[in-house]
Amino acid sequence: MTGRTDAATAPRPVTPGGILAARLAEVCERVAASGGQDDALLAELRELRDLAAGLDPYVEAVTTPESPALAALARRTREHDWDALDGPLEQEMLSGHVEGQFLRTLVHATRARSILEVGLFTGYSALAMAEALPADGRLVALELDPGVAALARECFAASPAGARIEVRVGPAADGLADLARAGERFDLVFVDADKGGYRAYLDALLDGDLLAEHALVCVDNTLMQGEPWTRDGADASPNGAAIAAFNAAVAADPRVEQVLVPLRDGVTLIRRVA
């Protein structure tokens, strides 16, 4: 996405469910406008449209509300002029309410005290997890873009939980290597960075002994808008091809076991078994 985004501009659909709902709405409009249509077919299409379009709003409505600090961060992300920062950044990269609450729940369930995030963006997921950490808990976030890291730090400063977050700017591979050399280990890791780097980041976590015993690794966007099962070869985008390759590699890796949760654009939970 390019250009100014104001508060009234809704994000474009970037999840399989959102894309399906938008496509069904377009089909309904075309059929209704075509004339001479089958009324029963149009009614069924509209039912399918409503089924798809209502899922995400319903899930959000029955999920624990986000904190005021997270709501403010999300609002600032939506209203930000992304042309002011270098790089392919857009508001749709925000993890958002439901995924943020999912990550908060994982922090509580795993009793994590040390968290690593690879890929920060404006910090919604980091702040959501930090809010669930104990008072002496710590989250290290690796972010390549200094501009977006600065924006995240400003948002963190408005929340008491923000003091638990340490932002390190630079390539994720370098940051992971530094953490491994320092002997750091993490209870929970959230990966949401460049998709082409996912395989290397997982290998760095496993080979660099960065995972504490019983650690959980969460990897975002592993459904990648449905591309891994709807496109292949030249039809796939670079991100779609990268995610398809990553998913296949994880499924074949004897060191880990995993489950892909169809939440938002897909979250894969991975734990080491060997």
Side-chain angles (χ1 to χ4, degrees):
M1 185 185 69
T2 59
R4 175 77 179 176
T5 300
D6 58 37
T9 302
R12 62 182 174 82
V14 292
T15 68
I19 293 169
L20 175 62
R23 293 283 298 275
L24 283 170
E26 292 171 359
V27 170
C28 287
E29 291 177 3
R30 291 203 305 270
V31 171
S34 65
Q37 73 272 5
D38 182 327
D39 289 340
L41 173 61
L42 180 58
E44 185 170 359
L45 282 172
R46 284 173 171 162
E47 287 182 4
L48 294 173
R49 173 202 62 192
D50 294 344
L51 178 65
L55 176 60
D56 286 348
Y58 179 76
V59 170
E60 183 161 2
V62 298
T63 294
T64 298
E66 61 192 353
S67 68
L70 286 171
L73 191 157
R75 183 170 57 254
R76 185 166 182 182
T77 301
R78 290 193 301 270
E79 296 174 353
H80 190 76
D81 181 1
W82 290 107
D83 285 341
L85 294 176
D86 294 330
L89 301 173
E90 55 186 5
Q91 67 159 326
E92 287 83 2
M93 296 171 68
L94 188 81
S95 296
H97 168 209
V98 174
E99 188 169 357
Q101 182 60 29
F102 177 74
L103 293 170
R104 284 172 57 99
T105 301
L106 290 179
V107 175
H108 287 300
T110 61
R111 298 183 180 179
R113 305 179 72 85
S114 181
I115 300 174
L116 173 64
E117 178 164 280
V118 183
L120 175 68
F121 190 47
T122 56
Y124 191 100
S125 53
L127 185 57
M129 291 186 288
E131 288 182 344
L133 279 171
D136 61 347
R138 172 179 176 240
L139 187 151
V140 177
L142 308 179
E143 172 56 46
L144 177 64
D145 189 288
V148 79
L151 178 59
R153 286 190 178 108
E154 291 178 10
C155 294
F156 297 156
S159 168
R164 301 172 193 146
I165 303 171
E166 175 190 346
V167 180
R168 299 188 180 189
V169 178
D174 294 345
L176 290 168
D178 289 342
L179 292 167
R181 281 192 293 270
E184 299 270 16
R185 302 187 85 198
F186 297 92
D187 304 312
L188 180 63
V189 180
F190 181 52
V191 181
D192 185 15
D194 58 298
K195 311 315 169 192
Y198 273 16
R199 176 74 181 276
Y201 301 151
L202 180 59
D203 284 341
L205 293 169
L206 295 169
D207 298 338
D209 198 27
L210 285 162
L211 301 178
E213 187 177 5
H214 307 304
L216 185 65
V217 179
C218 309
V219 184
D220 202 13
N221 301 116
T222 48
L223 290 179
M224 189 43 66
Q225 303 179 22
E227 286 195 35
W229 69 93
T230 62
R231 299 186 185 184
D232 55 35
D235 291 332
S237 70
N239 280 343
I243 289 297
F246 173 77
N247 289 343
V250 172
D253 193 330
R255 299 173 296 176
V256 300
E257 68 176 26
Q258 69 286 331
V259 59
L260 200 167
V261 181
L263 168 67
R264 200 168 178 262
D265 199 26
V267 180
T268 296
L269 305 181
I270 303 171
R271 75 179 190 96
R272 183 166 202 156
V273 295

